[in-house]
């Protein structure tokens, strides 16, 4: 088994492939590369900040995986996103078995929207294409099934009981890294501050510099750096990616253990007419159960610059004007819920103009897999596999068409080489 390197330790050998960003996609990509067994692989990225690091407030880089609940479902208004999810979900139990880390709860997922909504029809269409098992209900039928939930009478429901539910992003990342390490991947818990392609002793290499001053040499590098991809000097100015960062705020309603047990049959929900997602009670590391709710994109919520992104993570979303709307939405949906407390948390989603993720080579030696448009957690295993195949070969190597995932650049949206 390979060691995890701590800050300051020397590492002067060259790798075949370095994955930068030890989050959901990067950890999956590193696992796939390590499992291939033909290349010397490393994964570089900081772990989740400890409570003490949080208090100090010096962290400049965050990930979107510091949580216990992400909705997982194969059906989606978009077929490609649905397929990426389906393939990932099919492998969850294998990842659990190989790592010994449990992260998936198959509690089902329900999509609710107005009877005449296009989104509802798009969900049905993808379900048919992916051969996903579903049942449809009108509002009153569904209310009979879950009497503690209030559904608008002019809404319809799609109930997907299989291959859906929620995952712990924190535990999935831990599982992927554990498997990667067991297949020989080195993991370096550091922030990368600079990347440069260079000629080194006649060899074409990428030189990766970390915050502590360590230099790592690699033949190819794959950036899986989420919402922080355009910061530091990971990419040259002319190759900054066309990404929109949006503040995301969630409310976590603490419920007693007794209440959590009473509604233990609660699935995950997408309330299309409210643009809200809701997860059932989940046990968090503080020993409490929380129901989590978030509203998707407040349109004015675009963030610019590293400082604003860092401030937003540290703010925990407490002052965000959308918090009240979020709580109101939960109360409309679960009118009898009596939360013990309400807390907020903050995160950032990374959108692309194409609404698809970017998975592309920027040069012959550097590739990127970023821009998950707020829904990458559930599909991260297949997305990581896609990135791993591409960087392993140095060019596109997946059954889905490369054009779907092509990068656009910030300045002029020109295609890659
Ligand atoms: C509030 C909220 C709710 C969500 N709900 C869902 C959901 O229900 N279902 C779902 O499927 N998805 C959901 N998502 C989206 C999902 O969490 C993200 O799409 C997913 O985490 C993205 O994975 P990633 O690997 O691209 O980025 P991340 O998971 O953020 O990982 C990026 C990693 O890169 C590292 N990094 C960045 N810069 C550097 C650097 N310079 N050097 C080294 N490392 C670096 C970071 O530390 C981080 O670990 C949600 C997102 C938010 C914000």
């Amino acid at each position: 088994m390979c060691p995890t390197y701590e800050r300051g330790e020397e590492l002067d050998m060259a790798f075949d492939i370095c994955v930068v960003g030890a989050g959901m996609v990067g950890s999956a990509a590193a696992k796939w590369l390590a499992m291939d067994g033909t290349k010397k692989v490393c994964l570089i990225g900081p772990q989740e900040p400890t409570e003490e690091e949080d208090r100090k407030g010096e962290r400049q880089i965050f990930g979107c995986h510091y949580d216990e609940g992400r909705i997982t479902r194969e059906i989606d208004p978009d077929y490609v996103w649905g397929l990426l999810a389906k393939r990932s979900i099919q492998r969850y139990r294998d990842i659990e078995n190989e790592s010994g880390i449990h992260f998936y709860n198959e509690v089902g997922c329900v999509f609710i929207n107005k009877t005449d909504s296009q989104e509802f029809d798009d969900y049905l269409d993808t379900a048919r294409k992916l051969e996903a098992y579903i049942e449809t209900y009108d509002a009153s039928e569904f209310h009979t099934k879950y009497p503690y939930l209030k559904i608008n009478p002019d809404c319809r429901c799609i109930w997907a009981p299989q291959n859906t539910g929620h995952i712990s992003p924190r535990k999935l990342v831990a599982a992927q890294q554990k498997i990667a390490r067991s297949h020989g991947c080195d993991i370096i818990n550091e922030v990368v501050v600079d990347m440069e392609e260079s000629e080194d002793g006649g060899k074409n290499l990428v030189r990766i510099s970390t915050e502590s001053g360590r230099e790592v040499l690699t033949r190819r590098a794959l950036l899986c750096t989420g919402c922080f991809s355009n910061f530091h000097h990971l990419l040259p100015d002319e190759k900054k990616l066309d990404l929109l960062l949006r503040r995301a705020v969630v409310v976590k309603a603490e419920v007693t253990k007794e209440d959590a047990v009473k509604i233990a049959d609660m699935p995950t929900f997408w309330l299309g007419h409210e643009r809200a997602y809701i997860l059932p009670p989940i046990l968090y590391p503080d020993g409490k159960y929380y129901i989590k709710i978030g509203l998707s994109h407040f349109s004015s919520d675009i963030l610019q610059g590293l400082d604003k992104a860092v401030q937003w993570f540290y703010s925990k979303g407490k002052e965000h004007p959308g918090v009240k709307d979020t709580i109101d939405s939960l109360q409309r949906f679960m009118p009898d819920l009596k939360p013990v407390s309400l807390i907020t948390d903050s995160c950032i989603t990374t959108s692309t103009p194409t609404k698809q993720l970017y998975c592309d080579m920027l040069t012959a030696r550097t590739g990127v897999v970023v821009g998950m448009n707020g829904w990458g957690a559930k599909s991260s295993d297949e997305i990581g596999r896609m990135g791993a195949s591409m960087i392993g070969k140095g060019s596109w190597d997946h059954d889905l068409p490369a054009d779907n995932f092509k990068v656009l650049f910030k300045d002029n949206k020109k295609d890659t080489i």
Side-chain angles (χ1 to χ4, degrees):
M1 184 172 292
C2 281
T4 299
Y5 293 88
E6 298 301 333
R7 182 181 286 252
E9 284 176 56
E10 287 310 316
L11 205 80
D12 51 8
M13 67 283 227
F15 289 92
D16 292 310
I17 297 171
C18 264
V19 178
V20 179
M24 304 218 65
V25 172
S27 301
K31 175 197 75 174
W32 283 105
L33 286 161
M35 277 174 48
D36 178 55
T38 59
K39 295 187 177 65
K40 190 164 168 45
V41 180
C42 85
L43 172 65
I44 311 183
Q47 286 177 327
E48 179 173 351
T50 59
E51 276 180 26
E52 197 193 330
E53 281 176 312
D54 243 349
R55 268 194 300 278
K56 279 191 191 156
E58 291 165 358
R59 187 53 96 91
Q60 289 283 300
I61 293 292
F62 296 81
C64 294
H65 46 94
Y66 312 152
D67 196 4
E68 290 300 330
R70 290 283 182 268
I71 294 178
T72 191
R73 51 175 169 79
E74 40 185 28
I75 64 174
D76 192 281
D78 180 86
Y79 171 73
V80 171
W81 278 105
L83 186 65
L84 294 171
K86 179 178 173 147
R87 290 181 180 176
S88 300
I89 295 165
Q90 280 170 343
R91 294 194 288 262
Y92 285 171
R93 294 299 182 210
D94 292 341
I95 300 171
E96 287 187 329
N97 289 336
E98 182 160 2
S99 65
I101 297 175
H102 168 67
F103 61 85
Y104 173 39
N105 290 286
E106 193 181 24
V107 297
C109 184
V110 184
F111 308 84
I112 300 179
N113 213 327
K114 294 270 169 70
T115 307
D116 56 0
S117 86
Q118 177 61 43
E119 186 185 68
F120 198 90
D121 292 336
D122 293 342
Y123 275 116
L124 288 176
D125 192 41
T126 309
R128 189 178 42 75
K129 286 184 187 148
L130 293 174
E131 298 178 350
Y133 177 78
I134 54 160
E135 294 168 14
T136 53
Y137 294 90
D138 66 26
S140 65
E141 284 171 328
F142 200 74
H143 181 68
T144 317
K145 216 169 151 61
Y146 296 99
Y148 53 88
L149 304 175
K150 189 159 181 217
I151 321 279
N152 270 9
D154 58 348
C155 281
R156 285 190 291 168
C157 310
I158 301 173
W159 162 230
Q162 295 164 7
N163 304 323
T164 54
H166 56 86
I167 52 172
S168 159
R170 202 177 255 141
K171 295 197 183 95
L172 175 52
V173 166
Q176 301 283 35
Q177 290 187 15
K178 189 170 171 191
I179 300 173
R181 203 179 289 126
S182 74
H183 287 273
C185 175
D186 286 304
I187 300 183
I188 305 171
N189 291 135
E190 288 210 41
V191 170
V192 171
V193 290
D194 195 53
M195 285 176 61
E196 196 189 359
E197 298 198 1
S198 64
E199 291 276 323
D200 217 294
K203 290 184 197 147
N204 288 331
L205 292 170
V206 184
R207 183 178 291 275
I208 298 178
S209 309
T210 72
E211 218 171 27
S212 73
R214 175 188 281 161
E215 291 204 331
V216 176
L217 297 176
T218 182
R219 288 179 185 84
R220 289 189 198 133
L222 184 69
L223 283 177
C224 303
T225 33
C227 56
F228 287 87
S229 300
N230 278 337
F231 303 136
H232 293 301
H233 298 285
L234 301 183
L235 295 167
D237 285 347
E238 71 280 8
K239 294 232 189 281
K240 297 287 184 204
L241 307 175
D242 192 3
L243 295 172
L244 216 54
L245 308 189
R246 291 179 203 267
R247 275 182 275 254
V249 64
V250 295
V251 172
K252 292 197 287 187
E254 182 193 343
V255 295
T256 61
K257 188 172 179 189
E258 294 70 40
D259 282 348
V261 169
K262 271 188 219 152
I263 54 173
D265 66 340
M266 183 174 163
T268 54
F269 284 90
W270 169 244
L271 308 184
H273 55 300
E274 303 234 5
R275 314 310 295 161
Y277 54 90
I278 302 180
L279 286 90
I282 293 175
L283 183 62
Y284 272 71
D286 63 2
K288 297 175 180 173
Y289 288 85
Y290 294 96
I291 290 176
K292 192 177 77 170
I293 175 165
L295 300 189
S296 75
H297 312 146
F298 299 95
S299 54
S300 60
D301 257 359
I302 293 159
L303 273 168
Q304 266 166 1
L306 177 63
D307 289 350
K308 290 269 164 31
V310 171
Q311 274 167 24
W312 173 244
F313 270 103
Y314 274 119
S315 77
K316 303 281 179 201
K318 285 182 195 139
E319 307 294 329
H320 192 279
V323 169
K324 185 180 175 314
D325 290 347
T326 311
I327 296 169
D328 289 350
S329 186
L330 179 63
Q331 282 172 345
R332 276 194 296 279
F333 189 58
M334 301 182 78
D336 299 328
L337 187 74
K338 301 274 177 286
V340 180
S341 68
L342 292 167
I343 55 173
T344 58
D345 204 357
S346 54
C347 191
I348 293 177
T349 61
T350 310
S351 312
T352 62
T354 58
K355 298 198 167 43
Q356 298 290 335
L357 65 104
Y358 294 150
C359 183
D360 205 351
M361 294 299 292
L362 302 185
T363 68
R365 277 172 276 161
T366 305
V368 291
V369 193
V370 297
M372 299 300 138
N373 288 273
W375 289 110
K378 61 184 178 306
S379 312
S380 53
D381 192 58
E382 178 65 7
I383 295 169
R385 191 178 78 89
M386 182 190 272
S389 307
M390 177 185 76
I391 200 71
K393 192 175 167 199
S395 59
W396 190 249
D397 188 21
H398 193 268
D399 62 314
L400 288 170
D403 277 356
N404 211 67
F405 306 102
K406 269 198 135 2
V407 148
L408 293 175
F409 293 106
K410 222 179 184 68
D411 294 341
N412 47 11
K413 301 188 170 55
K414 64 178 186 279
D415 279 350
T416 49
I417 55 165

